[in-house]
Amino acid sequence: MTATSTDVMYRLLVQGVTDYAIFMLDPDGIVVNWNAGAERAKQFTGDEMIGRHFACLYRPEDRAAGLPETGLRQARETGRFEAEGWRIRRDGTSFWAEVVIDAICDEAGRLVGFAKITRDRSDRRAQELRLLEAKEIAERHRDGLTATTSFLDSVIATMPSSVVVQDAATGLIRLANRQAELLLCGCTGHLVGRPAEAVLPTAVAALLKTALAAAGQPTAAAGQPAAAGAGDPAAVTRELPVQTARGLRTLRMRALAIGGHGEQPPHGLLIAEDVSEERAASMRIHHLAHYDGLTGLPNRELFRQRLGEALAAAASGSGAGTSTAVLCIDLDDFKRINDTLGHPVGDQMLRALVGRLREVLRPGDCLARLNGDKFAVVAPLVATDAEEEAVVLAERLIAAAREPIEVEGQRIETGLSVGIALAPADADSGEGLLRCGDLALYEAKRRGRGRFLRYQDAFATAARYRRLIEADLRGAIARRELRLHYQPVVRAQDGETIGYEALLRWQHPVRGPISPLDFIPIAEETGLIHAIGAFVLHEACHEASRWASGRSVAVNLSPAQFRSPALAAQVASALAASGLPAGRLELEITESVLLDASANNLALLEQMKQLGARIALDDFGTGYSSLSYLCAFRFDKIKIDRSFVREICDSHEALAVVRAITGLSRSLRIATTAEGVETPDQAACLRREGCTQLQGYLYGKPMPAAALPEVRNAGRAARKETGREAVACRS
């Protein structure tokens, strides 16, 4: 069962409860849902209440006194508000309510609303008042003792609460109503006349004893007199788990001494109420607010609390160490696992992985799930060995995740990246430590994943630089700072140029040229890649449409662009606006496009192929390089990664990979382009292996469109034609 289905079942359970009014408020106190119990207790339907402020349920004088705001303020500041008081129904009648308000926070610790539980206690209140009134009447009017006793017996017998009266002098139970007998011993007639300590649960008997002692009336064993003297009645209230005839139940109990004045013998009075369901609902709400529903780990809010406690303990010297580490953890390729194998398998894998991670933690370490695939550990350390301990812990976590996980017959391989931050060396606050850990994690993932990095100040500098680049990148297109350069692609057989690859360049007005390796990842993270990708498509198609040679143009597509279902429409728009024949446009993708949400991405590839564009698989030979990709989609070209071309003349392994790729391509009748060709020897070797196209500095570096032979020749031809026209005019 997934966390989502569990939450749905829990919501249905809450909506079906009729004994308790349970409803949710937004942070301003506006009702956002309303269960059957609320409708029964307050006589308002959900349609009538949702969208209204919950203060409308208070009496006018309570609203004027600010009681609704006081409750929300206390819940917001302490996490919980409890009170009893009068509330009003729709028909204007009042009822005595027991109210609990719990603050609910999201994974980031932000307040998202309140859970409010209200139970109608009018019967109990009225019965307690009648009981006290009857007690006063009995004490004031000795002559009406018989009638009053009968009245008291009737009230006590019909009370929903359990009532027990103990003789302080003898320790025997003198009165127990039916509810008390069924709850405490499971049958009727077995409590009255027997010693309280012998027949009542230990906690119940002890509470009666405490109340009598507080009033100066200690209990006595049967047959032994109580101590002389009587003090003022003092109520003792407890809420405890008690082993009853119905099992372990949570009882809210109130005990006090009565009588003991004049000729009245002293007695202990106990009123107990079973609040197990109410407490269970409250605990469930509290658990949902502080724990992850899928893994059972602490969530972000509880993690922040634990981190604050660890920092406070380290600062005071009362903790296990004098330093604290935060390890920010990211699960590599989790989105791919969910997309390819399904979310149920992903959920099972997460639970299995969490079990492994728990096994390598030390006593005192706290592992939490912060969001989908991000976790964190807070670990107390010995200051002198803090970094070494943190590194060892990170290595254990990475090793635990490295082993494949079996789920429903699927062998899943994954890994972890870890960022380490130490207090007080890197930061002395919880927020600061998390920020430093995040920066170290980002850098670890950027450097290849499956590794750990300790925070360095340079990471913060790099993050600031990325933010500056992001801000400048947003306006770079409008300011025409982004330009395309074109690198020739030649036919291997004779060296004839058959096309160009469009490569993006950014000439920053202040920072100068900025490498695509610096700004493309930022564009992908921020979503700017969609606007930049559209610009590249339109610009490349427009430029190529001016080439009289009819040579092709290749455009790289980022995996992030495939998140937009409008990608194929952008390609069609670029072709239509430029008038470029679709067959002259080549779209290059990497295998990660097929790893991420492959069904959707394959559909987009098919749409672009139907437009007439050619599709090339770039950087083949690196990463997974699964042959299933070549079966799943009919590519027009495979591009051999430059890392193999660089070593082809010196490495038998590189040559074997190139030979395998070209042989496979010939069998599938797919063209091959070798990237990064820089020497004649490399070109000759690639020709011998059957590579059909070559690209690299040996044939030309990337150049602006104005420097291409097509544009230069067209310019010279235009100037000659202009000159001939001028001569003709003069003659």
Side-chain angles (χ1 to χ4, degrees), residues 168-171 219-226:
T170 65
T219 57
Q224 296 179 355

Side-chain angles (χ1 to χ4, degrees), residues 513-593:
I514 298 177
S515 169
L517 296 177
D518 290 335
F519 70 83
I520 290 298
I522 296 173
E524 291 174 334
E525 291 173 10
T526 58
L528 292 173
I529 193 66
H530 300 293
I532 293 174
F535 161 77
V536 171
L537 278 168
H538 280 266
E539 186 72 11
C541 290
H542 172 73
E543 188 61 45
S545 68
R546 300 164 55 197
W547 302 341
S549 63
R551 290 168 177 162
S552 64
V553 63
V555 174
N556 289 279
L557 295 181
S558 162
Q561 288 178 262
F562 280 79
R563 298 171 192 159
S564 170
L567 178 58
Q570 289 181 357
V571 174
S573 173
L575 290 170
S578 64
L580 180 72
R584 291 176 57 192
L585 175 62
E586 186 175 286
L587 301 172
E588 297 185 6
I589 69 164
T590 61
E591 65 181 42
S592 57
V593 168

Side-chain angles (χ1 to χ4, degrees), residues 151-192:
F151 171 69
L152 282 173
D153 289 342
S154 175
V155 170
I156 292 171
T158 58
M159 283 184 68
S161 301
S162 299
V163 179
V164 175
V165 177
Q166 178 192 19
D167 188 325
T170 65
L172 301 179
I173 295 175
R174 293 303 183 194
L175 181 148
N177 68 351
R178 178 179 174 81
Q179 286 78 8
E181 291 179 322
L182 294 177
L183 175 65
L184 301 177
C185 71
C187 55
T188 59
H190 282 67
L191 292 181
V192 176

Side-chain angles (χ1 to χ4, degrees), residues 212-235:
L212 288 168
Q217 294 291 343
T219 57
Q224 296 179 355
D232 295 328

Side-chain angles (χ1 to χ4, degrees), residues 331-334 337 349 353 401-402 404-405 412-416:
L331 182 59
D332 298 334
D333 293 330
F334 182 60
I337 293 168
M349 191 217 69
L353 177 64
R402 190 176 291 126
I405 297 174
I412 304 174
E413 294 188 1
T414 185
L416 298 181

Side-chain angles (χ1 to χ4, degrees), residues 271-353:
I271 301 174
E273 182 182 4
D274 187 346
V275 294
S276 302
E277 284 75 18
E278 175 188 344
R279 183 55 56 204
S282 178
M283 290 176 64
R284 176 61 177 162
I285 290 172
H286 181 271
H287 185 85
L288 288 174
H290 293 88
Y291 289 88
D292 174 55
L294 175 65
T295 63
L297 293 176
N299 62 11
R300 181 182 291 270
E301 174 63 21
L302 185 54
F303 178 79
R304 291 178 187 275
Q305 294 179 23
R306 299 279 173 83
L307 177 55
E309 292 166 0
L311 289 172
S316 66
S318 62
T322 57
S323 182
T324 302
V326 163
L327 284 72
C328 292
I329 304 168
D330 190 84
L331 182 59
D332 298 334
D333 293 330
F334 182 60
K335 182 180 184 301
R336 175 181 62 82
I337 293 168
N338 269 341
D339 291 339
T340 56
L341 301 179
H343 287 272
V345 172
D347 289 350
Q348 291 184 57
M349 191 217 69
L350 269 185
R351 285 191 287 265
L353 177 64

Side-chain angles (χ1 to χ4, degrees), residues 575-655:
L575 290 170
S578 64
L580 180 72
R584 291 176 57 192
L585 175 62
E586 186 175 286
L587 301 172
E588 297 185 6
I589 69 164
T590 61
E591 65 181 42
S592 57
V593 168
L594 302 174
L595 282 172
D596 297 334
S598 56
N600 294 334
N601 292 351
L602 283 173
L604 282 173
L605 287 173
E606 289 289 354
Q607 292 174 30
M608 291 184 287
K609 196 170 181 67
Q610 289 174 9
L611 292 173
R614 291 180 295 164
I615 310 297
L617 182 57
D618 199 7
D619 298 336
F620 193 76
T622 61
Y624 289 89
S625 300
S626 173
L627 298 182
S628 63
Y629 304 153
L630 303 180
C631 298
F633 184 79
R634 177 69 179 179
F635 288 96
D636 298 287
K637 180 190 291 187
I638 293 175
K639 300 193 73 173
I640 303 172
D641 188 71
R642 66 181 63 246
S643 61
F644 301 110
V645 174
R646 185 185 311 116
E647 305 293 333
I648 193 170
C649 296
D650 304 314
S651 168
H652 175 75
E653 290 79 8
L655 178 61

